[in-house]
Amino acid sequence: MAENGTDCDQRRIGMIKEQHNGNFTDPSLPCERKRRDREERQNIVLWRQPLITLQYFFLETLINLKEWTIKLWHRRSIVVSFLLLLAVLTAAYYIEGTHQQYVQYTEKKFLWCAYWVGLGILSSVGLGTGLHTFLLYLGPHIASVTLAAYECNSVNFPEPPYPDQIICPDVEGIEGSISLWTIISKVRLEACMWGAGTAIGELPPYFMARAARLSGAEPDDEEYQEFEEMLEHAEAAQDFASRAKLAVQNLVQKVGFFGILACASIPNPLFDLAGITCGHFLVPFWTFFGATLIGKAIIKMHIQKLFVIITFSKHIVEQMVSLIGAVPSIGPSLQKPFQEYLEAQRIKLHHKSDNGVPQGENWLSWTFEKLVIVMVCYFILSIINSMAQSYAKRVQQKMYSEEKTK
């Protein structure tokens, strides 16, 4: 921000000189106006201006629907082909025959994959704030499969009800027959689909920076402006965050495919910067997306799976519960709900839920459910705020263009 202020001071000095020469016509400074407009947009949120925010949200929705309708009309041949294909698939879905078993299997796998790809996209894109779907959905799913595998000594859970509900098979496996690789193989499909979704969600920063570089325009995007400022003041970077961002940018720019792969293969909050860097320096699409897909859907996903599976393996969970009980004074009271929760899960796995065992709701599961609801609600609010601010940006740009034509 200090560097940005220095740039504004230099522009102000230049404009004062132009004013003395009789050439100064516009008293407003572009950088200050952009900053003021951005601050005004950031105030358009539901908890500060609810009516204006909702109005702008609906107007932005209508504009987006109109734009998408026009785009689809211009590509009507593709739309017609897609509708014909959809009609053929619908007919195959409803016509009775021996093919129905394959149709049902394909439908089940397609919906299951689409569900996890969608959650991955939500985690990566977020429209202003990401929904942490790994912590809320995939992580708990892997943990549940891990606990069930060690309890049942098998991963051949009956389908249905799996994956909606996990219960032990009628014929359980041999004690100690479950290995780390067995659990990894069981959850590989959903984990890789989630990782592929996160890779797809990284495309908007890439396309935004690429379009800006090809057109020569300067999008009013904070991350892109921060990236350009970082390039301008690369040698003066002193703080750790700036040096880390510069290191990511240099790695991606100089190493190429393997640099992108390295950034995508580890938990990296700065990967958006890698996408912007690739777009800005016109890295080919398949180089960027291929490295991102391999890194996130294969390498990084296996690292995260291993961490969750090891953390929730039987002996580790038992040790953690015993350690909680060893905490002075409050240990036993904290340990009890964890023991009750684990025992309730064992009962569910062995079909004992209808055998007179009380099914009271554990406070841990209740807290987690409410946490999920709160985060989903916050995510929806962030989408509304983001779209309302997008409409406010349209209004500001329209006013600015009208002032320039006067």
Side-chain angles (χ1 to χ4, degrees), residues 248-263:
V248 171
Q249 183 259 327
N250 289 332
L251 179 66
V252 170
Q253 183 183 358
K254 294 179 180 179
V255 184
F257 179 90
F258 292 102
I260 302 168
L261 182 65
C263 291

Side-chain angles (χ1 to χ4, degrees), residues 46-261:
L46 280 169
W47 45 89
R48 291 181 181 175
Q49 303 180 54
L51 296 179
I52 292 178
T53 303
L54 289 174
Q55 179 186 0
Y56 282 10
F57 165 72
F58 287 119
L59 291 173
E60 180 69 13
T61 303
L62 292 175
I63 291 174
N64 288 333
L65 289 175
K66 180 181 177 181
E67 291 177 350
W68 277 101
T69 303
I70 294 172
K71 289 179 180 179
L72 291 175
W73 176 253
H74 290 158
R75 296 168 176 82
R76 50 188 176 273
S77 58
I78 299 176
V79 174
V80 171
S81 301
F82 175 77
L83 291 176
L84 290 174
L85 177 62
L86 186 61
V88 171
L89 293 176
T90 304
Y93 183 81
Y94 285 104
I95 295 175
E96 296 293 335
T98 56
H99 67 284
Q100 281 298 321
Q101 57 178 333
Y102 304 106
V103 170
Q104 292 174 4
Y105 176 81
T106 304
E107 178 192 17
K108 180 181 177 182
K109 289 298 181 183
F110 174 78
L111 293 177
W112 183 241
C113 293
Y115 173 75
W116 289 110
V117 169
L119 288 178
I121 293 173
L122 289 177
S123 178
S124 189
V125 175
L127 293 176
T129 176
L131 181 65
H132 303 290
T133 51
F134 182 85
L135 295 177
L136 296 178
Y137 296 99
L138 184 58
H141 171 72
I142 297 174
S144 299
V145 171
T146 303
L147 293 172
Y150 282 109
E151 180 63 26
C152 304
N153 296 308
S154 174
V155 292
N156 298 319
F157 310 124
E159 299 183 30
Y162 182 83
D164 298 326
Q165 181 185 358
I166 303 177
I167 58 176
C168 291
D170 295 332
V171 180
E172 297 185 10
I174 303 171
E175 182 74 26
S177 61
I178 292 299
S179 66
L180 193 66
W181 183 255
T182 305
I183 304 174
I184 289 175
S185 301
K186 183 66 176 178
V187 297
R188 180 180 289 118
L189 178 63
E190 47 265 47
C192 289
M193 290 299 102
W194 184 88
T198 61
I200 295 171
E202 298 293 350
L203 293 178
Y206 169 82
F207 284 124
M208 179 269 297
R210 184 181 179 87
R213 180 66 184 272
L214 292 174
S215 65
E218 295 185 2
D220 190 14
D221 182 87
E222 292 183 9
E223 289 185 345
Y224 187 77
Q225 289 179 352
E226 183 180 353
F227 169 76
E228 288 194 324
E229 288 179 8
M230 183 187 69
L231 292 180
E232 292 175 2
H233 308 92
E235 297 180 356
Q238 298 293 332
D239 59 297
F240 175 78
S242 298
R243 291 199 301 270
K245 292 176 181 179
L246 192 61
V248 171
Q249 183 259 327
N250 289 332
L251 179 66
V252 170
Q253 183 183 358
K254 294 179 180 179
V255 184
F257 179 90
F258 292 102
I260 302 168
L261 182 65

